[in-house]
């Protein structure tokens, strides 16, 4: 027979177990999102490298709106416009744009590293708690 005290302990551990499970799921989704952001930055960096070799007058497609493009002609490959939000753009040289994107990638990698450390801690506690709950279950059955 399970005492009231044991039942409270089991309930508390189970609630923590469920919380940790949700946290791991959330961290996994965040990890995926950060990796996606890093991939986008890498794509932008490759595009900036390609733009360096482009010659003025090059026909291209420019995004007009989500999924809508217009034909355009490259007037210069020495400067780009970078969005800083609220439809405000700053002109930057290719080198400055590349540095900005490399800095952004570095920050994302730092976030990813810290997130992975946190995930490891949560995962370790989750595994330990899982073992505790199994042991408790076995002791109550035996």
């Amino acid at each position: 027979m399970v005492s009231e005290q044991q039942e409270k302990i089991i309930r508390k551990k189970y609630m923590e177990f469920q919380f940790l499970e949700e946290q791991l799921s959330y961290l996994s989704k965040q990890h995926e999102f950060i990796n996606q952001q890093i991939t986008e930055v890498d794509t932008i960096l490759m595009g900036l490298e390609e733009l360096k070799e482009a010659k003025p007058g090059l026909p291209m497609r420019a995004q007009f709106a989500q999924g809508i493009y217009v034909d355009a002609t490259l007037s210069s490959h020495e400067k780009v416009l970078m969005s800083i939000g609220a439809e405000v753009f700053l002109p930057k040289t290719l080198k400055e744009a590349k540095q900005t994107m490399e800095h952004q990638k570095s920050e994302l990698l730092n976030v990813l590293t810290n997130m992975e450390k946190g995930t490891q801690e949560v995962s370790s506690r989750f595994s330990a708690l899982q073992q505790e709950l199994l042991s408790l279950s076995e002791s109550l059955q035996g």
Side-chain angles (χ1 to χ4, degrees):
M1 189 81 185
V2 178
S3 73
E4 195 174 310
Q5 184 68 18
Q6 286 174 319
E7 193 174 314
K8 281 183 182 178
I9 291 170
I10 293 169
R11 237 188 259 128
K12 184 178 176 185
K13 287 186 184 291
Y14 186 69
M15 284 174 37
E16 183 183 357
F17 179 80
Q18 287 178 316
F19 173 75
L20 291 173
E21 192 173 41
E22 287 174 17
Q23 234 183 345
L24 284 172
S25 175
Y26 172 78
L27 288 169
S28 175
K29 288 175 186 166
Q30 290 295 78
H31 189 276
E32 204 174 295
F33 177 74
I34 298 294
N35 273 325
Q36 207 172 20
Q37 295 292 313
I38 291 169
T39 300
E40 286 178 25
V41 170
D42 282 337
T43 301
I44 291 168
L45 285 167
M46 286 187 333
L48 289 171
E49 280 300 312
E50 290 175 12
L51 187 57
K52 204 186 317 184
E53 305 302 318
K55 302 219 181 305
L58 177 74
M60 54 191 308
R61 287 200 167 52
Q63 187 169 2
F64 177 73
Q66 182 70 26
I68 300 172
Y69 296 83
V70 295
D71 288 328
T73 303
L74 181 66
S75 61
S76 169
H77 69 275
E78 295 173 19
K79 289 200 178 216
V80 294
L81 295 173
M82 292 191 74
S83 173
I84 59 170
E87 302 212 19
V88 176
F89 299 90
L90 287 179
K92 293 202 178 215
T93 65
L94 284 179
K95 183 178 180 180
E96 291 169 332
K98 186 176 177 182
Q99 288 172 339
T100 299
M101 296 313 297
E102 285 172 344
H103 178 71
Q104 189 174 20
K105 181 178 177 179
S106 176
E107 287 180 347
L108 287 167
L109 289 169
N110 285 338
V111 168
L112 194 60
T113 299
N114 291 334
M115 188 181 294
E116 286 170 351
K117 288 177 188 173
T119 300
Q120 274 184 321
E121 291 171 11
V122 172
S123 184
S124 293
R125 178 64 187 138
F126 179 81
S127 295
L129 195 55
Q130 189 175 33
Q131 287 303 316
E132 283 181 54
L133 285 168
L134 277 172
S135 295
L136 279 170
S137 174
E138 289 170 358
S139 70
L140 292 174
Q141 289 178 4

